[in-house]
Amino acid sequence: MKSSIGETLKKCRLESGKSVKEISDLLISKGFKASEKTIYSWENGNSQPTPDALLIMCKAYGVSDILTTFGYTAPE
């Protein structure tokens, strides 16, 4: 079964050793409204980040192949 975006975000954050507070602070410093509660909401699948916020988080987590990480497979 494919993981949700939220589950994948949480897995990537934990693997990178970043805290929710660090990610919240990073996104806020870039102009996003991203409280710790918001990050948890994304990770629990209650809402989703904007594409821009997602890209910033992926960079912070060291994710280079975003499509594969989030389960995209090209059609046959």
Side-chain angles (χ1 to χ4, degrees):
M1 182 176 133
K2 280 188 185 178
S3 295
S4 72
I5 289 173
E7 289 169 332
T8 303
L9 280 172
K10 184 174 184 177
K11 178 177 168 270
C12 292
R13 179 179 58 77
L14 294 173
E15 287 175 357
S16 74
K18 303 275 188 214
S19 71
V20 170
K21 178 164 181 16
E22 287 176 294
I23 297 306
S24 173
D25 290 347
L26 170 67
L27 289 170
I28 289 169
S29 76
K30 303 275 187 190
F32 293 92
K33 292 183 180 178
S35 67
E36 291 177 50
K37 182 177 177 182
T38 301
I39 307 295
Y40 284 119
S41 180
W42 294 340
E43 290 184 354
N44 290 325
N46 298 322
S47 61
Q48 292 184 349
T50 64
D52 289 339
L54 178 68
L55 292 174
I56 290 168
M57 287 186 288
C58 287
K59 184 174 181 179
Y61 300 155
V63 173
S64 56
D65 186 351
I66 296 169
L67 293 177
T68 301
T69 299
F70 286 89
Y72 175 81
T73 52
E76 304 264 333

